[in-house]
Amino acid sequence: MLNRRRFLTGTAAAGAAGLAGLRLSSAFAEGAPQLQIFVPAAPGGGWDQTGRTMDQVMRTEKLISGSQITNVGGAGGTVGLPQFISQWNGKGNSLMVAGMVMVGAIIANKAANNLTQVTPIARLTGEFEALVVPAESPFKTAADFVAALKADPTKVPVAGGSAGGSDHILFGLIAKTVGVPATSLSYVPFAGGGEALSALLGNQVAAGISGYGEFSEQVKAGALRLLAISADKRQEGIDAPTLKEAGIDVELFNWRGVFAPPGVSDADKAAMIALVEAMAKSDSWAAECKNRNWTQILLTGDDYAKFVAEDSARIEAILKDLGLA
């Protein structure tokens, strides 16, 4: 199971290796074409937040002259991925935001395209997941949620990201751990976090699972109740137990990163890695990560490509075990 300790293993070493001496080309720093950020999800979710935060930080730090964000949502990124591969091929000033959700969606949807067809640039952040319910929900604790799930899983619809993604995986792991068949679950996938949030606030679903950062404002406002988080330990400033504390022996961290299109030159790849490394080292990025409860897990280039390959194999095994692949 992917946990915080495994995420952080090797991160510090990789961040300093090989590419640290690269300078940003003047093309990115001065009067260049805008950085193009491709988000294969609807506005409002974790990938969209990541892309827009990158845009904000890079502008603040004057690392780019400007940028443009393109959203193409659907099926955990597997609708947008083919477009990025075919229409953005060779565009050296472009980055796609993706992560564990896309890895799972590619497997679950038996997609024709996968992440071996794009250019790995950097893993950026890790984030634990949150199990929430509407404020009016009869579920006061994770134990209440589990009891209802055991009684009749079809009556406990849970909103999350696209099928096969980290939210879906966590729901399946929770069910398996408490003895509920994953194939009996009522999972309601959405293309973006904003849509899932609307379903929760409208009491259209019994619960929701996503990265804590996507729910944090509504939790603080009292519109949602946080039942548990999937971290390895309690988190400072968050009044909720871990799933393990709540009697559910599950721990999971989501990861997000960026990829360049296929067909980019070695020089453009190196410049993009240097650009992202400069952003990741900035005080502005550190502040945003702290504010959003994102753990920095920078890993770049070939080390990142190796991680993606290993994580794809791990997630495929989990999805098969859960009957989702």
Side-chain angles (χ1 to χ4, degrees):
M1 190 176 301
L2 194 63
N3 59 39
R4 188 172 189 270
R5 289 180 292 278
R6 287 179 60 190
F7 253 131
L8 299 178
T9 300
T11 298
L19 296 162
L22 285 173
R23 293 177 177 272
L24 296 185
S25 70
S26 59
F28 285 111
E30 299 173 6
Q34 292 184 332
L35 176 66
Q36 304 292 314
I37 300 177
F38 184 84
V39 179
W47 290 348
D48 187 61
Q49 289 179 17
T50 300
R52 293 180 190 279
T53 301
M54 289 177 64
D55 170 51
Q56 175 187 328
V57 169
M58 287 183 181
R59 288 172 184 265
T60 298
E61 297 292 329
K62 296 182 171 56
L63 295 173
I64 57 174
S65 59
S67 66
Q68 180 178 345
I69 298 174
T70 301
N71 289 82
V72 178
T78 58
V79 172
L81 179 60
Q83 293 186 34
F84 188 69
I85 291 170
S86 62
Q87 298 174 23
W88 296 53
N89 190 306
K91 294 184 178 180
N93 67 328
S94 306
L95 289 174
M96 176 182 73
V97 182
M100 181 180 169
V101 169
M102 183 179 283
V103 173
I106 287 169
I107 296 165
N109 294 319
K110 297 178 174 59
N113 300 104
N114 61 58
L115 292 176
T116 65
Q117 296 171 273
V118 291
T119 306
I121 298 298
R123 187 184 68 185
L124 293 172
T125 61
E127 183 182 24
F128 55 83
E129 300 264 291
L131 172 64
V132 302
V133 294
E136 298 81 8
S137 172
F139 304 152
K140 305 300 182 184
T141 66
D144 294 338
F145 172 80
V146 167
L149 204 61
K150 287 182 175 180
D152 188 348
T154 65
K155 293 183 178 179
V156 188
V158 173
S162 299
S166 54
D167 307 339
H168 198 173
I169 288 172
L170 182 59
F171 189 25
L173 288 173
I174 289 171
K176 180 181 178 182
T177 300
V178 301
V180 175
T183 53
S184 69
L185 300 178
S186 177
Y187 183 73
V188 186
F190 288 93
E195 295 174 13
L197 184 59
S198 294
L200 276 163
L201 296 177
N203 290 293
Q204 297 168 20
V205 291
I209 295 175
S210 192
Y212 174 73
E214 296 187 35
F215 294 142
S216 60
E217 292 304 315
Q218 298 297 333
V219 169
K220 291 173 184 175
L224 295 177
R225 180 181 302 120
L226 177 60
L227 300 185
I229 57 176
S230 67
D232 54 340
K233 60 184 179 181
R234 284 223 180 200
Q235 300 295 303
E236 183 179 353
I238 298 176
D239 185 21
T242 65
L243 287 167
K244 286 188 173 182
E245 280 185 87
I248 306 166
D249 191 16
V250 172
E251 182 182 319
L252 188 75
F253 262 66
N254 188 11
W255 64 267
R256 299 189 184 111
V258 288
F259 298 79
V264 299
S265 68
D266 289 344
D268 282 339
K269 177 182 175 181
M272 276 295 183
I273 290 173
L275 173 67
V276 174
E277 286 183 331
M279 179 202 74
K281 292 175 183 176
S282 71
D283 291 340
S284 300
W285 180 252
E288 287 293 338
C289 287
K290 181 178 180 180
N291 182 54
R292 297 174 183 275
N293 290 286
W294 293 345
T295 299
Q296 296 191 61
I297 52 171
L298 184 66
L299 193 66
T300 60
D302 292 342
D303 290 326
Y304 178 42
K306 181 181 178 183
F307 166 80
V308 172
E310 291 174 347
D311 200 53
S312 297
R314 183 189 66 86
I315 291 173
E316 183 172 15
I318 290 174
L319 291 176
K320 285 182 178 178
D321 190 41
L322 296 174
L324 301 175

